[in-house]
Amino acid sequence: VYGQYVANTDFVMAIDTSSSMLTPDFIPNRLEAAKEVYLEWLDDIEKTRIGIVTFAGQSYVKTALTENSGELKKIIRGLKTEQPAGTAIGDALITSTSLLYSSEKNRTIILITDGISNMGISLNESLKTLKENGITVIAIGIGTQQENVTLYDELANESRTYARFPDLDEDAMKTISEETGGMYFVATNKTALKDAMRAGIKYKEAVIDPTFYILLLACFVLLIELSLIHI
């Protein structure tokens, strides 16, 4: 059970809702697969405050930090692709940071995207803000390397050719995650996506747990010393 490890962490889930997330290399598409994994992830944790941010050509706050699992699941189930066109990853990171700004706990953004930041605030500027505020980013690139596909986009009422996985800016995702003390993952199928999400929790476990074990060891040593005094 992962919940016991994240009580000292507040999370923001930042999910790409640009039209390319409708690419059907995941069944039925990347966005729906990400939503399914998010819902399962929520069952792995408890008593943890989570916010939700979505982004296409700009970012949107779906909910501020909350422990209300039912409300979070309702929001996730209702997520759809959004306008304007584009992928504003920098905006999403800044918006997510604003939700975590007043948190007194460890603060982590779990970012899922399949694209390149091409709108809004630059990634360099957002990285600066993340580091200034001590925000950790777990970045997950979603998609496969299949050929481009053309599908009808109901939201835009037109046919679109969706981006294939090589259009993901992996270098930028690696830089953001590494420089904020986080991790970067590539998810080419749903199982890998689940593992990446759960690894984000395990990562926080690894960060938090050493203090506990150091204190435990100190107590153990103290007990030994006290027992020797009374011999």
Side-chain angles (χ1 to χ4, degrees):
V1 177
Y2 298 106
Q4 60 185 308
Y5 298 118
V6 296
N8 291 324
T9 303
D10 286 333
F11 289 94
V12 170
M13 319 307 295
I15 182 169
D16 191 335
T17 50
S18 60
S19 59
S20 62
M21 289 291 285
L22 294 178
T23 304
D25 49 356
F26 284 64
I27 297 175
N29 56 56
R30 295 171 183 173
L31 179 58
E32 291 302 319
K35 287 163 60 175
E36 179 182 325
V37 172
Y38 272 135
L39 292 171
E40 292 181 10
W41 184 84
L42 285 173
D43 290 332
D44 286 338
I45 60 178
E46 56 187 21
K47 297 180 180 179
T48 301
R49 296 199 305 169
I50 299 169
I52 300 174
V53 168
T54 61
F55 62 98
Q58 66 185 63
S59 60
Y60 305 91
V61 175
K62 298 302 180 181
T63 180
L65 297 178
T66 178
E67 292 183 9
N68 189 329
S69 179
E71 181 64 20
L72 290 166
K73 289 182 178 181
K74 180 180 178 180
I75 292 170
I76 290 170
R77 290 189 185 101
L79 294 181
K80 297 180 180 179
T81 55
E82 297 173 295
Q83 296 285 5
T87 307
I89 297 175
D91 285 16
L93 293 171
I94 294 296
T95 301
S96 299
T97 298
S98 71
L99 296 185
L100 293 166
Y101 184 75
S102 61
S103 171
E104 296 181 354
K105 299 181 178 181
N106 295 319
R107 297 173 287 180
T108 296
I109 298 170
I110 298 184
L111 171 74
I112 292 183
T113 184
D114 67 351
I116 295 173
S117 187
N118 54 19
M119 299 287 288
I121 299 170
S122 72
L123 290 180
N124 284 338
E125 187 63 29
S126 63
L127 177 57
K128 178 181 177 182
T129 300
L130 291 166
K131 294 171 73 172
E132 288 175 347
N133 288 278
I135 308 292
T136 299
V137 177
I138 306 295
I140 303 172
I142 182 173
T144 66
Q145 296 189 21
Q146 69 172 244
E147 294 300 317
N148 289 349
V149 292
T150 300
L151 294 174
Y152 184 73
D153 185 344
E154 293 183 0
L155 188 64
N157 194 30
E158 63 183 29
S159 293
R160 292 179 180 272
T161 299
Y162 293 105
R164 58 179 182 170
F165 186 61
D167 288 331
L168 175 70
D169 191 346
E170 289 197 86
D171 289 340
M173 294 300 97
K174 289 176 183 177
T175 297
I176 289 171
S177 58
E178 289 174 1
E179 293 202 18
T180 59
M183 303 173 73
Y184 171 68
F185 300 91
V186 175
T188 57
N189 56 60
K190 196 175 293 184
T191 298
L193 184 57
K194 292 178 182 179
D195 289 343
M197 289 286 292
R198 287 171 177 161
I201 303 176
K202 290 181 180 180
Y203 170 78
K204 297 313 295 181
E205 170 193 343
V207 171
I208 296 169
D209 275 1
T211 301
F212 170 76
Y213 287 115
I214 290 172
L215 290 173
L216 187 63
L217 178 61
C219 291
F220 181 69
V221 171
L222 181 60
L223 287 173
I224 292 177
E225 290 179 347
L226 289 174
S227 63
L228 290 174
I229 289 174
H230 290 87
I231 291 177

